[in-house]
Amino acid sequence: MKKIFLGFFLLGILEFHALFGADFEIKNLEVDLYSKTSSEMKKISMDLHIFTNEVAKSSAIKDAINVIVSSFYAQDLMSSKGKEAFKEAIKKYSASKYKIKIDDVYILSLKEIDNIDIKRLVKQLDKYYKNSANKENKSMGNSRIPSRQDG
């Protein structure tokens, strides 16, 4: 009997959470952040899980995350201290701006993505193909291709 009661009690808690709380999972959030070490922006990708006991709009949560993440340097977010500061800042900003109390923020993944500089890539490819063409011409220069007049 106790097990049945406990089962219904736990089910009730889960149902209460489903009705009056919200879990938000934000996947593949990519942002460009300033770097402390260079003038180039660093691209960061992250997956977050947000838990609140309040009914909240996902757009408000996403806005809070975008505002807060852009106030950090890329290197700061990579440290454990920076991650904890990021989580706390999201909680405080959501509470003050949207009156949403966020209970927990979980960083499921956070990584720096290599920026591809298209101009630099094109230059490197041009250089590669020119070098390949020069090597091919040099190797072909030693052998003589007969012309029609040789015949």
Side-chain angles (χ1 to χ4, degrees):
M1 183 70 169
K2 288 181 182 179
K3 290 181 182 179
I4 293 172
F5 177 73
L6 182 62
F8 280 118
F9 179 72
L10 291 175
L11 185 62
I13 290 174
L14 292 174
E15 287 299 316
F16 178 81
H17 170 67
L19 292 174
F20 300 105
D23 275 355
F24 295 99
E25 208 159 293
I26 299 168
K27 293 189 173 267
N28 298 320
L29 175 65
E30 290 186 3
V31 291
D32 292 317
L33 299 179
Y34 287 105
S35 171
K36 286 182 172 180
T37 58
S38 73
S39 61
E40 293 181 13
M41 301 286 280
K42 299 285 185 183
K43 186 173 285 295
I44 301 292
S45 173
M46 66 175 70
D47 295 338
L48 301 171
H49 188 91
I50 311 281
F51 176 75
T52 177
N53 281 326
E54 299 179 14
V55 176
K57 292 183 180 178
S58 64
S59 58
I61 301 287
K62 289 177 183 177
D63 179 64
I65 291 168
N66 278 318
V67 168
I68 295 304
V69 76
S70 63
S71 67
F72 281 81
Y73 286 105
Q75 291 83 354
D76 290 340
L77 276 180
M78 294 300 165
S79 72
S80 60
K81 191 175 182 178
K83 288 174 186 157
E84 291 301 323
F86 173 67
K87 292 177 186 181
E88 288 303 312
I90 290 173
K91 291 177 185 179
K92 288 179 183 175
Y93 185 81
S94 297
S96 68
K97 175 78 175 181
Y98 297 109
K99 309 297 186 242
I100 298 170
K101 182 183 179 293
I102 293 177
D103 297 315
D104 290 306
V105 176
Y106 298 103
I107 299 174
L108 304 176
S109 112
L110 177 63
K111 58 187 169 192
E112 185 176 331
I113 299 172
D114 291 331
N115 285 335
I116 298 173
D117 183 0
I118 299 298
K119 291 178 185 177
R120 192 179 81 202
L121 181 62
V122 168
K123 284 180 184 177
Q124 286 177 338
L125 288 172
D126 283 343
K127 185 178 177 181
Y128 171 78
Y129 286 117
K130 285 178 185 175
N131 286 342
S132 295
N134 286 340
K135 286 179 183 177
E136 193 173 307
N137 286 340
K138 286 181 182 178
S139 67
M140 298 273 303
N142 293 340
S143 63
R144 185 167 179 255
I145 301 174
S147 66
R148 296 186 110 188
Q149 294 175 351
D150 290 343

